Amino acid sequence: MRPSHLNSYFASLMSLKGVGPKIAQAFAKLLRGDVLLEARRIDLLLHMPVGVIDRSLQSDLATAPEGAIVTVKVTIDKHLPPPRNNRRVPYRILAHDETDDLTLTYFHAKGGYLEKQLPVGEMRYISGRLERFNGGPQITHPDHVVSEADFATMPLLEPVYPLTAGLSGKVLHKAVQASLDDLESLPEWQDQALMDREKWMPFDEALRRVHLPHDLADLEETSPVRKRLAYDECLANQLALALVRSKVKKSAGIARCWEGKLKAKLLAALPFTLTGSQTEAIADIEADLALPERMLRLVQGDVGSGKTMVALMAAADVIESGSQAAMMAPTDLLARQHYQSVKSLCEAVGIRVAVLTGKDTAATRRDTLSALEKGDIDFLLGTHALFQQTVVFADLGLAIVDEQHRFGVHQRLTLSAKGEATDLLVMTATPIPRTLVLTHYGDMDVSLLTEKPAGRKPIDTRTMNLERLPELVQRLAQAIDQGVKCYWVCPLVEESELLDATAAEDRYATLKQVFGNKVELVHGRMTSDEKRSAMEHFKDGDAQILVATTVIEVGVDVPEATIMVIEHAERFGLAQLHQLRGRVGRGDKASSCILLFKGPLGQVARERLNMMRETEDGFRIAEADLRLRGEGDVLGTKQSGLPGFRLTDPEAHKGLMEMARTEGRLIIETNPDLEGIRGAALRDLLYLFSRDEAIRLLKAG
Ligand code: ADP
Ligand code: MG
């Protein structure tokens, strides 16, 4: 149960004067993204201003700059209502100060209301945009009109908020002010030394200061006020992750025992030696496996850095210790490809390996499942199909999730829940910037694969106008004669698989006229069997050109392929281009990538293509991608800013997330059940930032 001293924060906005069901709905939409949810005061208070109207310029009429927002003090002289039969003439009110006359103009005004607000002979403070009309100062529809007595209540710095349909700035503003009115002070959850060092104010005061700024600096994202609130958000997030992590780890981990014989056999069978990065990542994993805690590890490595080998070695260790391992890929094609690429190695050393996808025949599936349950399969590869209820492992020791960002957090938890003490290894090729790693995988340890396998040659990347297609085809023909293999990726048309497929089919047809049956085709609308046979024909048969949609984006591995053509490269995002290019340059032969574009190129598209020519460094590319597209897109979430975060800005609040991660872990180490005064305050924090699922974990023990 939420402690009652938080009630003023969680009261419905409906409890405020002037907020009825309709406006409450608009608030719900704006603040919680769903009209059906209840918008509460805390939601509104955490809605940060994006700008400010500065009314602090108080001036006399004669010197007031034209077009500026000013606040003037005037005496009301006369009302000039429009003639009764002509509503188009505005209602005007004349006023003056010592220096000049002022006209206030209202269209479609209610005379009675204005007479009450602006009585003749009285003094008023007026704030609004001042214009000069026929030479004289004029303000049309002033923003504020207040008496001398009420002047103190007029905000001289007025925050401006993001709005939604059905909600005006005025209404929002009033609701914010009313929410601040009876806000309770809360026991501090932040560390006092940190508060002192950063000169931070208490939470409720910080909220007041953001919504009732004292000076312009208060509204900057880098101000102590905003930093404090952002840090609250980071800490709530990292504390919740640390809690989850500690509970998962404590719950039944197994200290696995193995000698390393299987791994040694695999290493001996490999035609290459592992890179230093691979060896280090495997050592990290082995250290985790040997501990009596659950492993939660993320292996992050650019395309082609050899993640599959790392996964295989980890699987070998766990299998030698007597348990099973499973590896989940995001698509059927990838699952089968993983299977193909590890099958002969596994069989050579006696690992019993199988594949399970949604597209297996009923009979195959039944056989696989029964073998799995009996423990006759050591290593199972597959897709989402792996975490269906009917899939029962004899003893799943290690769950490996490849290309993680395609799966949700709950999916990776579901897979690891298939075994009592399943260790979890997640692999991603997306070079996710540090801040995002922390927000999404803050509960995981990270191993980085920074090296590429030895002997890789740089990929010669060029851009070429689509108009020169015939020339390209001619040159490709020469390369094909010399036995080269080539991917040809077709344009992404909208978000439609059907249109993608058509584009690919068209290109396939034209290339077929030149290259005959040396061309193969794969796209998302083909059946699994069709895809597989096309891939096999390309990988091991005599097909040399594979026309494809972005189904080949992730993970496809044909080391002999050395040319990548990307048609309409200007339509792809930078991360996607990088992923695609990573399909070549995997062997020791020189490779090239041709980015076919259709001009004229926009600014962003040109920068993207230039970046591709300039570097193969996934981290540099990811950073440029962030800059060009906004952070959300890197994870495919299409929002800007940190997904799920409202107060934290990756630029302005650099470093806060790391600080919060360290602190979150420290708190959980020293006070795992969040007890005592600080513990209770930290629970408040989790409630305020809607991280209370974590509190439920505390109770479950
Ligand atoms: P990714 O990290 O993109 O998943 P893969 O695991 O698919 O990369 O590996 C890419 C290619 O590099 C594969 O053909 C794999 O066999 C090969 N490879 C992996 N490790 C090494 C290594 N240490 N030396 C040479 N080639 C390697
Ligand atoms: Mg891979």
Side-chain angles (χ1 to χ4, degrees), residues 630-649:
E631 188 128 9
D633 272 350
V634 176
L635 289 169
T637 49
K638 296 234 166 96
Q639 315 150 291
S640 61
L642 288 175
F645 283 68
R646 306 170 67 183
L647 313 186
T648 312
D649 176 83

PDB file of all heavy atoms in Angstrom, residues 630-649:
ATOM      1  N   GLY A 630      17.633  11.337 -33.449  1.00  0.00           N
ATOM      2  CA  GLY A 630      17.007  11.359 -32.130  1.00  0.00           C
ATOM      3  C   GLY A 630      17.162   9.991 -31.505  1.00  0.00           C
ATOM      4  O   GLY A 630      17.114   8.974 -32.173  1.00  0.00           O
ATOM      5  N   GLU A 631      17.340   9.988 -30.223  1.00  0.00           N
ATOM      6  CA  GLU A 631      17.756   8.810 -29.496  1.00  0.00           C
ATOM      7  C   GLU A 631      16.802   7.618 -29.573  1.00  0.00           C
ATOM      8  O   GLU A 631      17.223   6.488 -29.673  1.00  0.00           O
ATOM      9  CB  GLU A 631      17.956   9.193 -28.026  1.00  0.00           C
ATOM     10  CG  GLU A 631      18.561   8.133 -27.191  1.00  0.00           C
ATOM     11  CD  GLU A 631      19.770   8.663 -26.438  1.00  0.00           C
ATOM     12  OE1 GLU A 631      20.016   9.872 -26.450  1.00  0.00           O
ATOM     13  OE2 GLU A 631      20.456   7.834 -25.845  1.00  0.00           O
ATOM     14  N   GLY A 632      15.493   7.905 -29.541  1.00  0.00           N
ATOM     15  CA  GLY A 632      14.519   6.817 -29.493  1.00  0.00           C
ATOM     16  C   GLY A 632      14.670   5.834 -30.634  1.00  0.00           C
ATOM     17  O   GLY A 632      14.520   4.635 -30.452  1.00  0.00           O
ATOM     18  N   ASP A 633      14.979   6.353 -31.791  1.00  0.00           N
ATOM     19  CA  ASP A 633      15.031   5.511 -32.963  1.00  0.00           C
ATOM     20  C   ASP A 633      16.099   4.436 -32.923  1.00  0.00           C
ATOM     21  O   ASP A 633      15.994   3.438 -33.605  1.00  0.00           O
ATOM     22  CB  ASP A 633      15.270   6.380 -34.202  1.00  0.00           C
ATOM     23  CG  ASP A 633      13.954   6.853 -34.764  1.00  0.00           C
ATOM     24  OD1 ASP A 633      12.928   6.340 -34.294  1.00  0.00           O
ATOM     25  OD2 ASP A 633      13.963   7.714 -35.656  1.00  0.00           O
ATOM     26  N   VAL A 634      17.136   4.658 -32.146  1.00  0.00           N
ATOM     27  CA  VAL A 634      18.201   3.675 -32.096  1.00  0.00           C
ATOM     28  C   VAL A 634      17.648   2.340 -31.620  1.00  0.00           C
ATOM     29  O   VAL A 634      18.032   1.280 -32.068  1.00  0.00           O
ATOM     30  CB  VAL A 634      19.341   4.142 -31.182  1.00  0.00           C
ATOM     31  CG1 VAL A 634      20.399   3.066 -31.060  1.00  0.00           C
ATOM     32  CG2 VAL A 634      19.942   5.412 -31.750  1.00  0.00           C
ATOM     33  N   LEU A 635      16.699   2.409 -30.708  1.00  0.00           N
ATOM     34  CA  LEU A 635      16.084   1.179 -30.240  1.00  0.00           C
ATOM     35  C   LEU A 635      14.796   0.890 -30.993  1.00  0.00           C
ATOM     36  O   LEU A 635      14.045   0.008 -30.642  1.00  0.00           O
ATOM     37  CB  LEU A 635      15.786   1.287 -28.740  1.00  0.00           C
ATOM     38  CG  LEU A 635      17.032   1.267 -27.869  1.00  0.00           C
ATOM     39  CD1 LEU A 635      16.699   1.651 -26.459  1.00  0.00           C
ATOM     40  CD2 LEU A 635      17.674  -0.105 -27.907  1.00  0.00           C
ATOM     41  N   GLY A 636      14.552   1.658 -32.012  1.00  0.00           N
ATOM     42  CA  GLY A 636      13.376   1.412 -32.815  1.00  0.00           C
ATOM     43  C   GLY A 636      12.091   1.827 -32.127  1.00  0.00           C
ATOM     44  O   GLY A 636      11.025   1.334 -32.457  1.00  0.00           O
ATOM     45  N   THR A 637      12.148   2.716 -31.170  1.00  0.00           N
ATOM     46  CA  THR A 637      10.932   3.079 -30.472  1.00  0.00           C
ATOM     47  C   THR A 637      10.299   4.350 -31.013  1.00  0.00           C
ATOM     48  O   THR A 637       9.223   4.726 -30.599  1.00  0.00           O
ATOM     49  CB  THR A 637      11.182   3.272 -28.968  1.00  0.00           C
ATOM     50  OG1 THR A 637      12.319   4.113 -28.841  1.00  0.00           O
ATOM     51  CG2 THR A 637      11.416   1.966 -28.289  1.00  0.00           C
ATOM     52  N   LYS A 638      11.002   5.027 -31.912  1.00  0.00           N
ATOM     53  CA  LYS A 638      10.414   6.158 -32.608  1.00  0.00           C
ATOM     54  C   LYS A 638       9.986   7.326 -31.743  1.00  0.00           C
ATOM     55  O   LYS A 638       9.240   8.165 -32.163  1.00  0.00           O
ATOM     56  CB  LYS A 638       9.194   5.708 -33.441  1.00  0.00           C
ATOM     57  CG  LYS A 638       9.547   4.751 -34.558  1.00  0.00           C
ATOM     58  CD  LYS A 638       9.042   5.253 -35.892  1.00  0.00           C
ATOM     59  CE  LYS A 638       9.674   4.489 -37.031  1.00  0.00           C
ATOM     60  NZ  LYS A 638       8.893   3.408 -37.529  1.00  0.00           N
ATOM     61  N   GLN A 639      10.402   7.408 -30.495  1.00  0.00           N
ATOM     62  CA  GLN A 639      10.149   8.634 -29.755  1.00  0.00           C
ATOM     63  C   GLN A 639      11.487   9.336 -29.680  1.00  0.00           C
ATOM     64  O   GLN A 639      12.515   8.747 -29.889  1.00  0.00           O
ATOM     65  CB  GLN A 639       9.724   8.364 -28.314  1.00  0.00           C
ATOM     66  CG  GLN A 639       8.711   7.294 -28.154  1.00  0.00           C
ATOM     67  CD  GLN A 639       8.884   6.594 -26.820  1.00  0.00           C
ATOM     68  OE1 GLN A 639       9.844   5.894 -26.575  1.00  0.00           O
ATOM     69  NE2 GLN A 639       7.913   6.794 -25.943  1.00  0.00           N
ATOM     70  N   SER A 640      11.442  10.599 -29.331  1.00  0.00           N
ATOM     71  CA  SER A 640      12.739  11.220 -29.121  1.00  0.00           C
ATOM     72  C   SER A 640      13.010  11.241 -27.630  1.00  0.00           C
ATOM     73  O   SER A 640      12.140  10.997 -26.818  1.00  0.00           O
ATOM     74  CB  SER A 640      12.760  12.620 -29.697  1.00  0.00           C
ATOM     75  OG  SER A 640      11.806  13.392 -29.048  1.00  0.00           O
ATOM     76  N   GLY A 641      14.230  11.501 -27.260  1.00  0.00           N
ATOM     77  CA  GLY A 641      14.595  11.473 -25.849  1.00  0.00           C
ATOM     78  C   GLY A 641      14.793  10.037 -25.392  1.00  0.00           C
ATOM     79  O   GLY A 641      14.718   9.110 -26.183  1.00  0.00           O
ATOM     80  N   LEU A 642      15.035   9.852 -24.107  1.00  0.00           N
ATOM     81  CA  LEU A 642      15.195   8.507 -23.587  1.00  0.00           C
ATOM     82  C   LEU A 642      13.826   7.884 -23.449  1.00  0.00           C
ATOM     83  O   LEU A 642      12.989   8.416 -22.735  1.00  0.00           O
ATOM     84  CB  LEU A 642      15.855   8.551 -22.214  1.00  0.00           C
ATOM     85  CG  LEU A 642      17.337   8.901 -22.165  1.00  0.00           C
ATOM     86  CD1 LEU A 642      17.790   9.010 -20.728  1.00  0.00           C
ATOM     87  CD2 LEU A 642      18.132   7.849 -22.893  1.00  0.00           C
ATOM     88  N   PRO A 643      13.589   6.775 -24.108  1.00  0.00           N
ATOM     89  CA  PRO A 643      12.256   6.189 -24.024  1.00  0.00           C
ATOM     90  C   PRO A 643      11.892   5.907 -22.572  1.00  0.00           C
ATOM     91  O   PRO A 643      12.703   5.360 -21.839  1.00  0.00           O
ATOM     92  CB  PRO A 643      12.391   4.887 -24.813  1.00  0.00           C
ATOM     93  CG  PRO A 643      13.708   4.945 -25.496  1.00  0.00           C
ATOM     94  CD  PRO A 643      14.532   6.021 -24.901  1.00  0.00           C
ATOM     95  N   GLY A 644      10.687   6.287 -22.201  1.00  0.00           N
ATOM     96  CA  GLY A 644      10.233   6.026 -20.840  1.00  0.00           C
ATOM     97  C   GLY A 644      10.732   7.035 -19.816  1.00  0.00           C
ATOM     98  O   GLY A 644      10.389   6.952 -18.654  1.00  0.00           O
ATOM     99  N   PHE A 645      11.527   7.971 -20.242  1.00  0.00           N
ATOM    100  CA  PHE A 645      12.026   8.986 -19.316  1.00  0.00           C
ATOM    101  C   PHE A 645      11.449  10.342 -19.664  1.00  0.00           C
ATOM    102  O   PHE A 645      11.345  10.704 -20.828  1.00  0.00           O
ATOM    103  CB  PHE A 645      13.554   9.057 -19.368  1.00  0.00           C
ATOM    104  CG  PHE A 645      14.201   7.936 -18.625  1.00  0.00           C
ATOM    105  CD1 PHE A 645      14.095   6.638 -19.095  1.00  0.00           C
ATOM    106  CD2 PHE A 645      14.881   8.162 -17.455  1.00  0.00           C
ATOM    107  CE1 PHE A 645      14.653   5.582 -18.407  1.00  0.00           C
ATOM    108  CE2 PHE A 645      15.450   7.121 -16.755  1.00  0.00           C
ATOM    109  CZ  PHE A 645      15.339   5.827 -17.227  1.00  0.00           C
ATOM    110  N   ARG A 646      11.074  11.110 -18.635  1.00  0.00           N
ATOM    111  CA  ARG A 646      10.448  12.394 -18.908  1.00  0.00           C
ATOM    112  C   ARG A 646      11.319  13.563 -18.514  1.00  0.00           C
ATOM    113  O   ARG A 646      11.199  14.647 -19.032  1.00  0.00           O
ATOM    114  CB  ARG A 646       9.128  12.476 -18.152  1.00  0.00           C
ATOM    115  CG  ARG A 646       8.246  11.287 -18.465  1.00  0.00           C
ATOM    116  CD  ARG A 646       7.066  11.241 -17.542  1.00  0.00           C
ATOM    117  NE  ARG A 646       6.199  12.368 -17.814  1.00  0.00           N
ATOM    118  CZ  ARG A 646       5.106  12.618 -17.107  1.00  0.00           C
ATOM    119  NH1 ARG A 646       4.785  11.842 -16.111  1.00  0.00           N
ATOM    120  NH2 ARG A 646       4.353  13.632 -17.422  1.00  0.00           N
ATOM    121  N   LEU A 647      12.175  13.355 -17.543  1.00  0.00           N
ATOM    122  CA  LEU A 647      12.936  14.485 -17.022  1.00  0.00           C
ATOM    123  C   LEU A 647      14.395  14.462 -17.437  1.00  0.00           C
ATOM    124  O   LEU A 647      15.093  15.448 -17.324  1.00  0.00           O
ATOM    125  CB  LEU A 647      12.881  14.498 -15.494  1.00  0.00           C
ATOM    126  CG  LEU A 647      11.514  14.317 -14.860  1.00  0.00           C
ATOM    127  CD1 LEU A 647      11.608  14.508 -13.369  1.00  0.00           C
ATOM    128  CD2 LEU A 647      10.523  15.292 -15.438  1.00  0.00           C
ATOM    129  N   THR A 648      14.848  13.292 -17.866  1.00  0.00           N
ATOM    130  CA  THR A 648      16.265  13.136 -18.134  1.00  0.00           C
ATOM    131  C   THR A 648      16.566  13.330 -19.605  1.00  0.00           C
ATOM    132  O   THR A 648      15.938  12.711 -20.459  1.00  0.00           O
ATOM    133  CB  THR A 648      16.725  11.725 -17.709  1.00  0.00           C
ATOM    134  OG1 THR A 648      16.223  11.476 -16.414  1.00  0.00           O
ATOM    135  CG2 THR A 648      18.234  11.631 -17.713  1.00  0.00           C
ATOM    136  N   ASP A 649      17.506  14.195 -19.874  1.00  0.00           N
ATOM    137  CA  ASP A 649      17.922  14.441 -21.244  1.00  0.00           C
ATOM    138  C   ASP A 649      19.341  13.903 -21.410  1.00  0.00           C
ATOM    139  O   ASP A 649      20.223  14.238 -20.638  1.00  0.00           O
ATOM    140  CB  ASP A 649      17.905  15.947 -21.509  1.00  0.00           C
ATOM    141  CG  ASP A 649      18.418  16.256 -22.903  1.00  0.00           C
ATOM    142  OD1 ASP A 649      17.624  16.169 -23.839  1.00  0.00           O
ATOM    143  OD2 ASP A 649      19.620  16.566 -23.041  1.00  0.00           O
TER     144      ASP A 649
END
